[in-house]
Amino acid sequence: MAAPAQAQNPNYQSGPVWRITDYSIKPGQGDAFWKDFRENLKPIYEEFKKDGMISDYKVWTSVTSDRPDDWDVAIGLAVPNYAAIDQLDAKAATVATKHYGSREAMIEAAKKRSEIRTVISSHLAREVMPK
């Protein structure tokens, strides 16, 4: 998926592109979510950074809830541009499979993850630095 080229903006300088995914943690699954994050996702994201696949990652928690299906935790992965998103998708499975030891173990971990949280939304956002 390629994004259209953008002309330089007189109001800001373009920064990295973030893929941000919002999650709702299922009731009683908070500890399981954070344990999985520490043991699996964080090491994988650190490997992504080490390999230059992402420049950064961040995690946010929501302090308010406006409706029952609101997000609790958001995770963002930063890449330099939109084209890097496709490269990340292509290379990520290799790093994750290595972490879990096999493709089957990686798939099983993803199934377990779906038992503790629900994806609310996933979107791309361009970070900008105002001039």
Side-chain angles (χ1 to χ4, degrees):
M1 171 174 91
Q6 293 181 338
Q8 284 195 341
N9 190 300
N11 301 306
Y12 58 82
Q13 178 180 349
S14 294
V17 174
W18 287 84
R19 172 180 276 164
I20 302 167
T21 305
D22 301 324
Y23 300 98
S24 174
I25 300 173
K26 294 182 179 180
Q29 297 299 317
D31 288 342
F33 175 88
W34 290 109
K35 180 179 188 290
D36 178 58
F37 184 86
R38 277 190 314 276
E39 294 177 0
N40 297 304
L41 298 179
K42 184 176 179 182
I44 290 170
Y45 297 156
E46 290 293 334
E47 190 67 26
F48 287 174
K49 280 180 73 171
K50 181 179 151 196
D51 291 350
M53 296 166 57
I54 63 172
S55 56
D56 199 7
Y57 67 92
K58 292 187 180 187
V59 181
W60 299 270
T61 58
S62 177
V63 296
T64 61
S65 181
D66 295 327
R67 54 189 190 278
D69 62 342
D70 246 343
W71 64 277
D72 300 304
V73 176
I75 299 175
L77 304 177
V79 296
N81 53 49
Y82 288 104
I85 293 288
D86 294 334
Q87 294 171 3
L88 176 62
D89 291 343
K91 296 176 184 176
T94 302
V95 172
T97 300
K98 181 180 173 186
H99 171 78
Y100 289 106
S102 71
R103 185 175 186 278
E104 293 75 22
M106 178 184 70
I107 292 168
E108 187 59 33
K111 287 179 184 176
K112 287 182 182 177
R113 201 166 285 129
S114 70
E115 295 171 5
I116 61 175
R117 53 96 173 129
T118 302
V119 175
I120 299 299
S121 68
S122 183
H123 57 277
L124 298 176
R126 168 76 77 176
E127 183 175 344
V128 297
M129 285 63 74
K131 292 181 179 179

